Amino acid sequence: MVLRVLPRKAWRTWRDWRRADDLQVPVSSTAVEDASRRFLLYGVLPLWVVPGLADWWMHRRTRIEHTSGTKESAVHALMMTEAGIPVVMGLLARVNPLVLTVMGGAALAHGATAVYDVSLAVGEREVRPIEQHVHSFLEVLPLTALAFTACLHADQVRSTLRGGPGAQDWRLLPKDHPLPAAYLAGLAGVIVAGVVVPYTEELLRCLRASAREAGPR
């Protein structure tokens, strides 16, 4: 029902991207490909939220709004964008050299931004060992997701290494078998509740604190 309120063009686009049969991920299969796909979809991606929430709590405990403030919170938003774009592409689009290249570039950018984030934080607020340990999970998970995706699409990795000579290698295309809509909706709910909401709250809290501190004295 919700999709029917979309503009006609948007509805046609969604319908075209959902035209094929959904990807089936057998629950009981012990085949390596099925097990790897299950672990990626139901392990790595949803559990990514856990260290993200833990990190948000560490920021709140050390009163980020009164220390590194909006600057660090904006860096967190940047890192979520760097992680979010390739995740969305991997979930919705056919994995090809374009998608793999974006994933690899985003993973490198995320790692570099994470280094800057820590260097910014340690000069402004207390960063305890437990928070740095949480950071280690957040830094390695994008690489883990990329590694599993690469293993599941070894033919596309080979094509990427050869420069993507195919006509469709550098186009954003729908999956031959899209992920089930129920799975996508559930994962989106987890991400909104566990990432978007808390980190939006953090940014707003920092902005309010900054406005108060910049106000008349």
Side-chain angles (χ1 to χ4, degrees), residues 3-14:
L3 292 177
R4 294 186 183 278
V5 304
L6 292 172
R8 186 180 299 273
K9 184 177 180 180
W11 168 250
R12 283 200 302 267
T13 300
W14 171 260

Side-chain angles (χ1 to χ4, degrees), residues 44-178:
V44 174
L45 292 180
L47 290 179
W48 202 336
V49 171
V50 176
L53 271 174
D55 200 35
W56 168 80
W57 175 251
M58 298 290 177
H59 304 158
R60 188 177 182 88
R61 183 188 61 80
T62 55
R63 298 175 64 82
I64 186 176
E65 66 272 21
H66 298 301
T67 51
S68 50
T70 304
K71 187 174 183 179
E72 186 186 355
S73 187
V75 172
H76 298 157
L78 173 60
M79 286 193 291
M80 284 183 284
T81 302
E82 292 167 343
I85 290 174
V87 166
V88 170
M89 291 179 69
L91 290 171
L92 299 181
R94 185 185 306 174
V95 176
N96 59 12
L98 171 62
V99 172
L100 288 172
T101 299
V102 171
M103 287 182 172
L108 291 175
H110 184 273
T113 308
V115 172
Y116 173 71
D117 174 51
V118 174
S119 66
L120 173 65
V122 294
E124 300 288 342
R125 63 181 178 85
E126 180 187 14
V127 181
R128 293 185 177 182
I130 184 63
E131 182 176 346
Q132 297 204 29
H133 191 58
V134 169
H135 288 169
S136 68
F137 282 97
L138 291 171
E139 290 163 17
V140 77
L141 282 171
L143 298 175
T144 303
L146 174 60
F148 271 90
T149 302
C151 290
L152 288 168
H153 301 277
D155 58 327
Q156 296 303 315
V157 173
R158 179 177 297 178
S159 180
T160 303
L161 294 175
R162 291 176 175 174
Q168 297 185 332
D169 284 346
W170 301 101
R171 294 179 59 192
L172 196 62
L173 301 168
K175 289 183 179 295
D176 293 330
H177 297 286

